Amino acid sequence: MTESTSTGAETDRPAPEGVGVLKSVVLDVPDLGSEADFWTALTGGTVKFTDDDWITVTTPDQWDVAFQLAPDHVPPQWPGQEHPQQAHIDLYVPDLAAATARAVELGATVLRENERWITLADLAGHTFDLCLKEESDGVTVMGPTFDCPDASALALFWSRILGAPVAYDADGVAMLGGPRPLLFQSVDNYNAPQWPDPAHPQQVHLDVGVPNLDAGEAAVLALGATRLPGEGSGFRVFADPANHPFCLVL
């Protein structure tokens, strides 16, 4: 984990055109109902979509956090890399103590306490940070943070995918600007997911909306993505340069 509210080397890189738009952050979970209930209560969100193996919750600040049924889910064991977290969600809160107490009441586990942020695990073991921001209007989503071997390189890749500028890049941490920020942190001995290998499972993936799957596939492959097994009439699966799976969706 790294503090998501730090200030530092802001950049002036212009936003590229982009391939698609960020639709949702998707967590693999062994129990859809309990996980969706937890995040709905924590963020004050509402259930937007549900079926037998998927639930999408929309937060008040219009982030879609989705939950995908994974009966063989292997929870991360932060901070080690044997069963790594791969990514976590950063949340802004106006009162750190109150927000932490509420999260624990809902079933979260405190993993590490710092002066301005607290690291916790949700019911499925996914890590998340509560970050102090006194002016925050309740619990708001700052963005997901992805572990990787090179934060600068991965931020540049996702900047080109989403058409968002790199707003910060220093000391092993990089962030995309725009209405849906993504963050990246360099970690030692990074252990990448190798989806669909169950011995190296994914924990989190992003859904990126595109108007045309064929054109979207050609564009992301040209930028350095890798095609992975898995597709349907409205989606295709890829990996970014750090091997995080993501989907292009219509």
Side-chain angles (χ1 to χ4, degrees), residues 17-88:
E17 183 176 349
V19 176
V21 296
L22 180 60
K23 302 288 285 187
S24 55
V25 182
V26 186
L27 306 181
D28 279 12
V29 299
D31 186 317
L32 283 175
S34 63
E35 190 78 353
D37 288 347
F38 172 85
W39 283 91
T40 299
L42 181 67
T43 64
T46 57
V47 174
K48 176 181 180 179
F49 174 82
T50 181
D51 67 13
D52 291 342
D53 59 6
W54 188 282
I55 296 177
T56 301
V57 172
T58 301
T59 67
D61 51 340
Q62 300 304 300
W63 280 81
D64 280 355
V65 182
F67 310 96
Q68 174 175 267
L69 185 62
D72 298 324
H73 170 68
V74 178
Q77 298 175 17
W78 183 81
Q81 283 294 306
E82 183 175 353
H83 297 289
Q85 65 172 357
Q86 301 173 12
H88 69 275

Side-chain angles (χ1 to χ4, degrees), residues 55-176:
I55 296 177
T56 301
V57 172
T58 301
T59 67
D61 51 340
Q62 300 304 300
W63 280 81
D64 280 355
V65 182
F67 310 96
Q68 174 175 267
L69 185 62
D72 298 324
H73 170 68
V74 178
Q77 298 175 17
W78 183 81
Q81 283 294 306
E82 183 175 353
H83 297 289
Q85 65 172 357
Q86 301 173 12
H88 69 275
I89 297 177
D90 288 315
L91 303 172
Y92 282 138
V93 296
D95 185 319
L96 197 54
T100 301
R102 175 58 174 159
V104 170
E105 178 186 4
L106 293 170
T109 302
V110 174
L111 300 178
R112 181 173 294 176
E113 298 185 52
N114 298 279
E115 184 177 352
R116 294 191 63 84
W117 81 97
I118 306 292
T119 302
L120 304 96
D122 70 10
L123 305 185
H126 293 294
T127 47
F128 65 98
D129 279 358
L130 299 178
C131 306
L132 181 62
K133 185 177 182 181
E134 290 90 345
E135 66 273 24
S136 177
D137 183 17
V139 178
T140 58
V141 179
M142 180 182 185
T145 298
F146 286 86
D147 289 3
C148 58
D150 186 333
S152 297
L154 196 58
L156 184 58
F157 169 83
W158 279 102
S159 172
R160 291 167 173 165
I161 296 293
L162 298 176
V166 177
Y168 178 94
D169 188 354
D171 302 324
V173 178
M175 182 179 75
L176 302 188

